[in-house]
Amino acid sequence: LIDLMNQHPEQLKYIMEEVFKLEHWVQSFLASLKEYGKMAMIQSNYQEKGGANPETYQIAIDKVKPQLNVVKDLSNAIRKHIIDTVAGKWDDQGNWLGGGCLQLSMTDPCMLVTTLEVIEMICARSNHYYQKVIKNAIIDGIDPDDAVTGMETPVAMKEEVLQNLKKGLEHKISKQFSKMQMSSVDAGESQVMATLGAATNLLVDLESVQELVVPCF
């Protein structure tokens, strides 16, 4: 799926659907394993009724853990790709490398729209499981807040994307403003005129955001 994403990014929606299937398998498997574990912890079940074996339960946990981690790593990689697509990329030192929704809106607006649709899919799926856990907690007499502790909130993905987008745009504006200002000064313009020229160019970029990026959202 990672290779498919790198070679055919337009297949992002299909790729995310496949990741959803894998995540659902993991959740279903863990739910079944949890029930088995409950039985396995009751020695009388094993000794008197031929029930679950605690040793078998631990072996199952050890065997499947690497596979479960693969699914988690895959999901995280896809999500990082989505964030990079919308917000742009950063190096290990925190320097913004470019890209993001403004560039994509000019080169491939359909890809930007597809990416935003996938973000909505992720949020909708998170909301489904979030509400399901709350409902089951109420039925079982458990505090809903305790039940959803540690779960991804329905808006977590969207908030992370917007946070990184804001960070990327702020970095881009600051870096671009300084670069244009210095270029104008080097060309012989006064500090005031250089500042006004750089500000004018940034306003043009903001207009581009308004015209090209905002409609995609």
Side-chain angles (χ1 to χ4, degrees):
L1 289 176
I2 294 294
D3 289 340
L4 180 61
M5 181 180 68
N6 292 331
Q7 297 171 12
H8 299 283
E10 71 278 2
Q11 295 293 322
L12 181 60
K13 189 176 293 186
Y14 163 76
I15 293 169
M16 199 68 241
E17 289 172 347
E18 292 301 304
V19 172
F20 286 162
K21 292 177 183 178
L22 291 172
E23 289 179 336
H24 178 72
W25 172 82
V26 168
Q27 291 168 349
S28 299
F29 180 83
L30 288 176
S32 299
L33 204 57
K34 183 178 180 181
E35 290 301 315
Y36 184 92
K38 289 179 180 179
M39 293 187 294
M41 293 303 104
I42 302 176
Q43 291 291 335
S44 60
N45 279 358
Y46 175 64
Q47 296 171 349
E48 299 176 9
K49 303 177 183 178
N53 186 337
E55 294 181 359
T56 302
Y57 169 72
Q58 189 58 50
I59 290 174
I61 290 289
D62 295 339
K63 289 289 186 181
V64 301
K65 190 173 182 179
Q67 283 73 23
L68 301 185
N69 287 339
V70 167
V71 175
K72 181 180 179 180
D73 292 343
L74 172 64
S75 178
N76 289 338
I78 301 296
R79 289 164 183 255
K80 184 180 184 304
H81 171 81
I82 291 172
I83 293 172
D84 289 346
T85 298
V86 177
K89 296 183 179 180
W90 305 77
D91 64 17
D92 295 336
Q93 286 72 45
N95 298 312
W96 189 67
L97 301 176
C101 58
L102 178 56
Q103 180 178 327
L104 193 59
S105 67
M106 297 177 180
T107 58
D108 192 352
C110 290
M111 187 67 244
L112 177 56
V113 171
T114 296
T115 305
L116 296 175
E117 289 176 345
V118 171
I119 293 173
E120 293 295 337
M121 288 168 55
I122 293 173
C123 291
R125 185 174 184 275
S126 295
N127 183 59
H128 170 75
Y129 282 104
Y130 199 84
Q131 299 302 327
K132 183 178 181 180
V133 169
I134 291 177
K135 181 179 179 180
N136 290 338
I138 294 174
I139 293 175
D140 296 337
I142 302 173
D143 187 337
D145 291 335
D146 291 339
V148 298
T149 299
M151 287 187 64
E152 180 180 65
T153 64
V155 295
M157 182 65 183
K158 190 176 295 184
E159 288 178 344
E160 186 174 2
V161 169
L162 292 177
Q163 181 180 356
N164 280 272
L165 175 59
K166 180 176 180 291
K167 179 181 177 183
L169 289 176
E170 288 175 347
H171 194 283
K172 174 181 171 63
I173 289 172
S174 176
K175 185 176 181 179
Q176 188 170 325
F177 182 83
S178 298
K179 182 178 180 180
M180 289 187 295
Q181 188 181 40
M182 291 178 62
S183 297
S184 297
V185 171
D186 291 342
E189 295 185 7
S190 67
Q191 186 72 31
V192 173
M193 292 305 297
T195 301
L196 290 175
T200 300
N201 288 329
L202 286 178
L203 287 175
V204 172
D205 281 348
L206 291 176
E207 289 178 358
S208 296
V209 171
Q210 179 68 28
E211 294 175 2
L212 301 174
V213 178
V214 173
C216 295
F217 281 79

